[in-house]
């Protein structure tokens, strides 16, 4: 940590530091004189009311994707730690087995040029679609068959909560706080960071095994109920109530 970061986090006035995951708490420990100030309150999302919300996406029409094609996506910033090169390599390997799969990436960031170049070099323009920043993420998410997250580091991976809530089967890397959300074989499939072959196999397994994909997605839906905005607010309030002055 820099001098100013060290000074900031060790300031005597600080009573508590809230971390979004246990992984972040562990990263912070070496920088603190008093690591006991650290506590974990996970991120939360606004859970969708399934009785009142209807998601409709025209993404297939927009991209001219056939109705019988399968959709795999990732909706994250185009940043280095999201490791989109691994996503693209996994997509390339999947397409060698099933060329009826399309991949959509929604997000913007400094890695956009590098990602575009890689897609062009591998001649994958027909099957990998860069959408840029989008405001219709829930509708896009609902159109997916699999959500694929290939990050090499991650605080928690909050976008996975959206996939959980919308019952989209998840394949993710065991990076940072992701294993705190995804339990391999229970509510998603976890792969080693950067392991293209494992990611390819996991995605193809879910695409080819509808019952298994549904089972994982249903378990994820149950888990996400403890990650609501309200739950995050209540846990944060408890941290404040626990402070003595």
């Amino acid at each position: 940590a820099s001098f100013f970061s060290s000074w900031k986090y060790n300031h005597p006035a600080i009573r508590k530091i809230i971390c979004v995951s246990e992984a972040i708490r562990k990263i912070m420990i070496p920088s603190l004189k008093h690591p006991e100030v650290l506590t974990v309150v996970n991120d939360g999302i606004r859970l969708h009311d399934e009785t009142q919300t209807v998601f409709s996406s025209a993404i297939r029409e927009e991209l001219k994707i056939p109705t019988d094609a399968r959709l795999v996506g990732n909706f994250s910033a185009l940043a280095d730690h999201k490791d989109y090169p691994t996503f693209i390599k996994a997509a390339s390997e999947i397409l060698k087995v099933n060329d009826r799969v399309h991949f959509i990436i929604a997000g913007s960031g400094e890695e956009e040029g590098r990602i575009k170049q890689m897609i062009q070099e591998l001649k994958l323009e027909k099957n990998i679609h860069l959408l840029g920043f989008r405001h219709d993420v829930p509708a896009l998410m609902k159109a997916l068959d699999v959500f694929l997250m290939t990050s090499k580091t991650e605080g928690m991976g909050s976008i996975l909560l959206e996939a959980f809530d919308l019952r989209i089967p998840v394949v993710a890397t065991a990076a940072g706080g992701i294993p705190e959300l995804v339990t391999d074989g229970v509510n998603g499939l976890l792969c080693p960071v950067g392991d293209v072959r494992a990611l390819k196999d996991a995605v193809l397994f879910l695409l080819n095994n509808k019952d298994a994909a549904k089972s994982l997605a249903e378990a994820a839906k149950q888990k996400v109920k403890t990650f609501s905005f309200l739950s995050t607010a209540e846990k944060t309030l408890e941290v404040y109530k626990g402070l003595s002055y």
Side-chain angles (χ1 to χ4, degrees):
S2 69
F3 168 79
F4 288 108
S5 292
S6 179
W7 176 82
K8 175 174 66 177
Y9 292 124
N10 286 288
H11 194 281
I14 289 179
R15 309 293 298 281
K16 283 289 180 183
I17 296 175
I18 296 175
C19 307
V20 299
S21 67
E22 179 63 21
I24 294 296
R25 190 188 73 83
K26 289 178 179 178
I27 289 171
M28 291 285 292
I29 287 174
S31 301
L32 298 179
K33 296 176 183 176
H34 301 285
E36 62 272 14
V37 303
L38 297 170
T39 190
V40 175
V41 176
N42 296 129
D43 278 347
I45 63 168
R46 188 181 304 280
L47 300 178
H48 299 288
D49 185 342
E50 294 177 288
T51 64
Q52 297 182 9
T53 307
V54 176
F55 295 105
S56 178
S57 174
I59 191 62
R60 287 179 181 271
E61 293 84 353
E62 180 183 331
L63 300 175
K64 296 180 174 58
I65 296 173
T67 55
D68 63 337
R70 312 300 295 279
L71 287 182
V72 176
N74 188 3
F75 309 147
S76 305
L78 306 187
D80 179 69
H81 72 280
K82 299 295 184 180
D83 196 9
Y84 274 105
T86 290
F87 181 99
I88 295 165
K89 290 174 186 176
S92 178
E93 292 302 309
I94 290 165
L95 289 167
K96 291 176 183 177
V97 179
N98 182 354
D99 63 3
R100 302 292 289 173
V101 182
H102 284 252
F103 299 83
I104 58 176
I105 297 171
S108 60
E110 69 275 7
E111 290 286 291
E112 183 174 351
R114 179 187 178 198
I115 292 167
K116 282 183 176 178
Q117 182 179 356
M118 189 172 180
I119 292 170
Q120 291 168 357
E121 288 175 351
L122 292 172
K123 296 180 171 55
L124 300 175
E125 298 97 323
K126 290 183 179 179
N127 290 81
I128 301 183
H129 312 274
L130 294 179
L131 306 184
F133 181 81
R134 301 282 293 224
H135 292 283
D136 57 342
V137 166
L140 289 174
M141 183 80 77
K142 195 66 175 174
L144 297 180
D145 293 291
V146 175
F147 188 84
L148 172 61
M149 192 172 204
T150 56
S151 300
K152 54 187 175 182
T153 61
E154 198 69 55
M156 192 177 85
S158 301
I159 190 64
L160 294 175
L161 297 176
E162 291 283 353
F164 282 9
D165 190 35
L166 295 172
R167 291 188 173 91
I168 306 305
V170 165
V171 173
T173 45
I178 291 177
E180 295 172 47
L181 297 181
V182 181
T183 302
D184 185 42
V186 176
N187 62 359
L189 298 179
L190 277 181
C191 300
V193 171
D195 192 332
V196 171
R197 182 175 179 178
L199 291 162
K200 175 204 75 172
D201 289 344
V203 171
L204 287 171
F205 173 79
L206 293 182
L207 292 179
N208 294 328
N209 292 273
K210 185 176 180 179
D211 290 344
K214 183 178 180 180
S215 177
L216 294 174
E218 288 297 334
K221 177 66 174 180
Q222 295 307 308
K223 185 176 182 71
V224 80
K225 291 178 180 178
T226 63
F227 288 88
S228 67
F229 276 158
L230 179 60
S231 175
T232 298
E234 288 174 342
K235 290 173 183 176
T236 302
L237 181 59
E238 288 302 310
V239 173
Y240 280 97
K241 286 181 175 179
L243 298 177
S244 57
Y245 294 92

